[in-house]
Amino acid sequence: MWKEKSWIFHQDNAPAHSALSVKRFLAKHSIPVLEHPSYSPDLAPCDFYLFPKVKSALKGTRFESMEAVKEKAARVLKELIKDDFQHCFQQLQG
């Protein structure tokens, strides 16, 4: 994907990410960037895709221990496939 430039780099607006040196680096290497609107943390893929997916898988289950919660969450995450993430970013690009 790197060689074909068939991907888009998504970052938040943290000061370290929006520094002039970072912007220059990205431009110099022609790295495609998906701009992140200011004050929009809810656009992070983890917030609108990943966490709700895990939450819905855990919902309604009574766990006997914290370890059981962790095991179930890890299982849900391991079951995700490449297409799940591609769909997520297509929604983000919208």
Side-chain angles (χ1 to χ4, degrees):
M1 291 180 76
W2 175 266
K3 291 178 184 176
E4 299 168 8
K5 294 195 190 299
S6 62
W7 57 279
I8 297 174
F9 183 64
H10 177 246
Q11 62 182 357
D12 59 16
N13 289 322
H17 301 155
S18 58
L20 183 58
S21 60
V22 173
K23 290 180 178 184
R24 284 181 178 158
F25 175 86
L26 296 171
K28 177 182 176 183
H29 296 283
S30 301
I31 297 174
V33 177
L34 177 63
E35 295 299 325
H36 191 94
S38 299
Y39 309 106
S40 297
D42 56 333
L43 288 180
C46 287
D47 294 332
F48 76 87
Y49 172 73
L50 193 58
F51 296 151
K53 192 162 188 85
V54 173
K55 184 179 173 182
S56 70
L58 300 178
K59 188 176 182 177
T61 305
R62 185 166 178 86
F63 295 96
E64 296 297 322
S65 67
M66 183 57 88
E67 194 59 37
V69 176
K70 291 177 186 178
E71 287 173 12
K72 174 72 177 191
R75 194 166 45 248
V76 170
L77 293 172
K78 287 178 183 178
E79 291 172 356
L80 294 174
I81 59 174
K82 179 181 170 182
D83 289 343
D84 293 329
F85 289 98
Q86 286 176 333
H87 178 70
C88 167
F89 282 100
Q90 287 169 349
Q91 286 180 320
L92 183 63
Q93 285 178 288

